[in-house]
Amino acid sequence: MSSKAQRAIVRIGGLEVEGYQLPDGSYAMSQTQAADAVGLKVQNASDFLRSKTLKALMGEGYTPQIVEIEAEEQARGGSRINSLPLEVVAVYWQWQSHRGNKQAFKLCAAFTLEGLIRRFDAAFGRTRSEAEYEAELSAMQVLLGSQDKELEMALAVNDDKARENRELWAYLQEQGLPGPYQLPEEGERND
């Protein structure tokens, strides 16, 4: 086996990303590709890797390993990539989905559907080709793409709740009232 990562194009429901098989046989994406796939710049992925969220989910988080790739398979960045294991990419995309990123939401929903279909196929003994699974994933992306406005509104609900919560806290403070997690002072009780 080569001491350098091997590159392949991976299709994800109409999206193509560069995937890598590392010398140990594991799979990774570049930090840049992970961010590009959800419409963000590489700095966003870098910030996520230093975030409390990733540390809470994966211990101390993850520092990208710089991996050499085969020369004839050079990516935009040259002969090296900052590699992210697929579990870090999955957590990053889920986090972006949770934060209202429509592209991340669509990817996560499509992967969830594909995972369910594969499990049900296995349970019922159905065999499909990779092209059939890719077609299902593409159809899911198209369906969600046609619902962009509705999706945007649904994802905005969390923003509305956060705004309302901030306004409530500000009102409580303006009125000199204790916050919802504080007990009133001894003389303030209405027993």
Side-chain angles (χ1 to χ4, degrees), residues 49-119:
L49 295 174
R50 291 187 306 273
S51 71
K52 291 179 184 176
T53 301
L54 186 62
K55 288 178 182 167
L57 294 172
M58 300 189 76
E60 280 303 305
Y62 180 78
T63 301
Q65 177 184 1
I66 296 173
V67 177
E68 286 191 57
I69 59 175
E70 291 293 335
E72 67 270 10
E73 298 177 350
Q74 284 187 358
R76 282 188 278 171
S79 61
R80 298 175 192 211
I81 62 163
N82 287 342
S83 72
L84 298 181
L86 297 183
E87 58 266 27
V88 172
V89 173
V91 170
Y92 173 60
W93 288 352
Q94 283 287 343
W95 177 242
Q96 284 302 320
S97 174
H98 173 74
R99 297 184 74 189
N101 181 310
K102 290 188 298 186
Q103 284 178 246
F105 178 83
K106 291 175 190 179
L107 278 172
C108 292
F111 280 129
T112 300
L113 175 63
E114 182 180 3
L116 286 168
I117 290 169
R118 286 181 184 266
R119 299 283 177 164

Side-chain angles (χ1 to χ4, degrees), residues 99-103 105-106 144-160:
R99 297 184 74 189
N101 181 310
K102 290 188 298 186
Q103 284 178 246
F105 178 83
K106 291 175 190 179
L144 288 174
S146 69
Q147 305 294 325
D148 268 352
K149 189 66 176 170
E150 291 83 357
L151 180 59
E152 188 173 309
M153 289 173 57
L155 292 174
V157 169
N158 285 335
D159 292 338
D160 291 341

Side-chain angles (χ1 to χ4, degrees), residues 10-81:
V10 180
R11 292 188 45 80
I12 306 170
L15 174 69
E16 289 185 350
V17 298
E18 294 172 348
Y20 297 91
Q21 183 177 30
L22 304 182
D24 68 1
S26 65
Y27 299 117
M29 285 179 67
S30 73
Q31 190 172 327
T32 301
Q33 284 282 295
D36 282 350
V38 292
L40 298 170
K41 302 285 184 209
V42 69
Q43 184 61 47
N44 183 275
S46 182
D47 292 345
F48 175 75
L49 295 174
R50 291 187 306 273
S51 71
K52 291 179 184 176
T53 301
L54 186 62
K55 288 178 182 167
L57 294 172
M58 300 189 76
E60 280 303 305
Y62 180 78
T63 301
Q65 177 184 1
I66 296 173
V67 177
E68 286 191 57
I69 59 175
E70 291 293 335
E72 67 270 10
E73 298 177 350
Q74 284 187 358
R76 282 188 278 171
S79 61
R80 298 175 192 211
I81 62 163

